[in-house]
Structure formats: C-alpha cells, structure tokens
C-alpha cells in the first residue's frame, strides 16, 4: 500500500474485472490481449477522452469531478461501497483525519454488555484486531482472544481455516472490508504494516489485495465446523460502538429452534464445564 497512485491502481484493477459482454460490447473475433476492458473502451463508455482516462490511470490527474467518477462507477459496475471508496481516493483529507487512529480502549459499559451476552461476542478495531472477547467467543475459536488479528489468523492458521466451511468467501469479504477501511490511508503506518506483513506471508492476501475489491462491513451468515460440536450456521452481526471510531461489537447467534441453536447451547455447556 504505497499510496503513490491508489486511484490509478484501483481503476486498472477494476476494469480488468469487467468483460466486454458485461459492458454491453461485442468483444469481436480472435483473442484479446488485455484482461477485461481496454482503457479506450472504459473512456468511450464513460463519455470521456481516452487521453484523459489514461491520465487518471497514470496518476497525472488525481482529482476528477464527481460526475466523471459516477460515470466510471457505472462502467466498472461498482456498488455503493466501492463508489464511495473511489471518490474518497480523490479527496484530500484534513490533518485531523490523517492523525485519527482506531482507539484500543473499549468503553467499560460495552465490555460489561459483551461479557454478559450468552452467545459468542467480541470487539474488534478497524485493523481486525480483537480487543476483547467473552467466554463463548473463545469457546468458538481460540483466535477470538485479545491481541489476535482475525485476518492474519484466518489466512495463516490452519486450525482457523478448518473452522470456516466458507473460508474462501469469508477471507475475500474480510480483505475487501480491510480495503474499504484503508481507503487512501497510505499515511497510516499501522495499516501499512499489516498490509505489508500479510502481503509477504499470504499469497491469497496478495492476490486479492491487488484486485482492489471493496466491501462495506456488514452482517453475514458464517458457516463453521467446530471440532467439538460440528457444523454451525451462525448469523454474524457487526454493531458500531458510538464514539469509538472503527470499533465494532461482533455477535454470533443462531436462528431460534434451529440445529445450530442447539449445538451453540451445547458449546456453551461444554465451555461452562471446562
């Protein structure tokens, strides 16, 4: 994450993911020498000159208008989160924003709430570091413990990979979520250190980070295989903590009356007796 031409890197990565057919174009006979759309095709569809689009990708113009960015978002088939991310890459941030960093101090009231929850719950920061976790969270995974980085564990710990039946999708979502958090933050040394470390240690991270996928943090169904109780399909909801930038309360819970609910209760009994 060198931050030297993030907008150009983003545009290039995203146009490589859009096929001519996706864009309503006839790819023509024979093999294409480029993956995805050509620069001139993006420019034509967005209603701008090829020379101007080339300047954007090369970083010679880093502040296009919102109208141009909206046109590019349509061509590149970006959703709302990716469009917001792209626009953010072109807007200078204040010094206050650049200095801001996710605090690692969790409010006492939120800690109490988390501890009293009967289902797995933990608190993470914008870097996916676990700041606090209750007993049920630790019973679900030993990696849900203070000081553990969830993404690093998912990518590098074989036991954590085995826990996730949907590991491929889960890690893709997590990397895209980290990209959304990183934004244009090339001046965030903590984020840069995390990205650099994972790029060195994980081929999957390096490949997906280069795609520039962006995903807003949202709840999902996590499909797990716990070594003691078996398969669990759990809702994973992420609740922002007011006044604590970047902190989320993450809660796993099962549909009432489901087999996963029964197995989660069994896991709770095992954790209480251990």
């Amino acid at each position: 994450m060198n931050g030297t031409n993030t907008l150009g890197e983003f545009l290039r990565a995203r146009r490589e993911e859009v096929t001519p057919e996706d864009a309503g174009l006839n790819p023509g006979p024979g093999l294409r020498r480029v993956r995805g759309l050509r620069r001139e095709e993006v420019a034509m569809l967005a209603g701008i000159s090829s020379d101007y689009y080339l300047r954007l990708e090369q970083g010679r113009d880093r502040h296009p208008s919102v109208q141009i960015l909206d046109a590019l978002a349509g061509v590149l088939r970006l959703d709302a989160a990716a469009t917001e991310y792209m626009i953010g890459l072109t807007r200078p941030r204040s010094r206050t924003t650049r200095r801001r960093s996710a605090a690692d101090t969790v409010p006492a009231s939120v800690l109490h709430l988390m501890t009293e929850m009967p289902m797995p719950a933990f608190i993470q920061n914008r870097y996916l570091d676990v700041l606090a976790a209750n007993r049920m969270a630790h019973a679900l995974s030993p990696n849900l413990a203070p000081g553990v980085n969830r993404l690093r564990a998912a990518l590098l710990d074989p036991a954590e990979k085995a826990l996730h039946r949907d590991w491929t999708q889960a890690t893709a979502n997590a990397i895209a979520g980290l990209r959304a958090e990183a934004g244009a933050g090339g001046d965030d040394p903590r984020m840069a250190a995390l990205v650099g470390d994972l790029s060195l240690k994980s081929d999957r991270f390096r490949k997906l980070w280069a795609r520039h996928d962006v995903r807003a943090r949202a709840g999902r169904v996590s499909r797990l295989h716990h070594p003691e109780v078996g398969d669990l399909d759990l809702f994973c909801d992420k609740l922002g903590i007011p006044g604590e930038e970047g902190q989320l309360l993450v809660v796993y819970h099962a549909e009432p009356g489901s087999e996963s609910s029964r197995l989660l209760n069994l896991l709770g009994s095992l954790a209480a007796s251990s």
Side-chain angles (χ1 to χ4, degrees):
M1 189 175 64
N2 55 34
T4 57
N5 183 21
T6 314
L7 175 63
E9 293 168 1
F10 176 80
L11 292 172
R12 184 164 52 253
R14 297 321 305 158
R15 73 174 167 84
E16 289 177 352
E17 300 301 321
V18 181
T19 67
E21 293 84 356
D22 290 336
L25 298 175
N26 184 346
L31 295 175
R32 291 169 63 91
R33 290 183 296 175
V34 298
R35 176 183 172 189
L37 294 177
R38 300 186 178 101
R39 291 190 184 96
E40 58 269 24
E41 291 170 334
V42 175
M44 176 191 68
L45 292 168
I48 60 178
S49 71
S50 296
D51 179 69
Y52 182 67
Y53 180 76
L54 179 62
R55 286 164 55 197
L56 291 177
E57 277 206 6
Q58 292 180 340
R60 291 186 286 132
D61 187 328
R62 304 190 184 195
H63 304 291
S65 69
V66 172
Q67 290 79 7
I68 288 176
L69 293 173
D70 282 341
L72 290 171
V75 174
L76 300 176
R77 303 169 66 86
L78 304 183
D79 62 14
T83 301
E84 181 181 357
Y85 170 87
M86 178 177 64
I87 292 173
L89 297 179
T90 71
R91 300 295 178 257
R93 296 176 300 151
S94 70
R95 292 181 180 179
T96 300
T97 303
R98 287 196 296 269
R99 286 193 213 106
R100 197 178 296 156
S101 179
D104 286 347
T105 301
V106 180
S109 60
V110 178
L111 278 175
H112 177 72
L113 172 64
M114 179 204 68
T115 302
E116 294 298 314
M117 284 183 165
M119 66 281 288
F122 62 95
I123 296 162
Q124 69 178 33
N125 62 17
R126 67 189 296 257
Y127 308 101
L128 302 183
D129 297 323
V130 178
L131 304 181
N134 65 13
R135 183 171 61 181
M136 277 294 290
H138 194 262
L140 188 64
S141 169
N143 283 313
L144 294 178
V148 175
N149 182 272
R150 294 186 63 217
L151 182 54
R152 185 181 282 112
L155 291 169
L156 303 179
D157 185 342
E160 191 70 14
K161 181 177 181 179
L163 175 67
H164 292 270
R165 289 151 50 210
D166 58 352
W167 181 84
T168 298
Q169 187 61 50
T171 51
N173 288 345
I175 293 168
L178 188 69
R179 168 68 75 177
E181 287 289 346
D187 55 355
D188 182 343
R190 189 168 174 182
M191 184 68 76
L194 175 62
V195 170
D197 181 58
L198 290 175
S199 296
L200 288 172
K201 295 178 179 177
S202 169
D203 290 340
R204 178 164 178 76
F205 179 87
R206 188 165 55 251
K207 176 183 177 181
L208 291 185
W209 190 256
R211 283 170 51 106
H212 286 252
D213 291 336
V214 177
R215 185 177 189 274
R217 293 283 165 81
R220 60 185 296 267
V221 175
S222 290
R223 307 189 187 283
L224 310 176
H225 178 79
H226 193 276
E228 292 185 274
V229 301
D231 289 351
L232 295 164
D233 293 341
L234 302 178
F235 297 109
C236 178
D237 286 312
K238 302 172 182 179
L239 311 174
I241 299 174
E244 301 297 330
E245 184 188 4
Q247 286 190 12
L248 297 174
L249 173 62
V250 184
V251 182
Y252 286 102
H253 57 106
E255 183 178 350
S258 65
E259 178 65 5
S260 291
S261 179
R262 185 186 71 81
L263 293 176
L264 195 60
N265 289 334
L266 174 59
L267 181 61
S269 298
L270 294 173
S273 62
S274 62

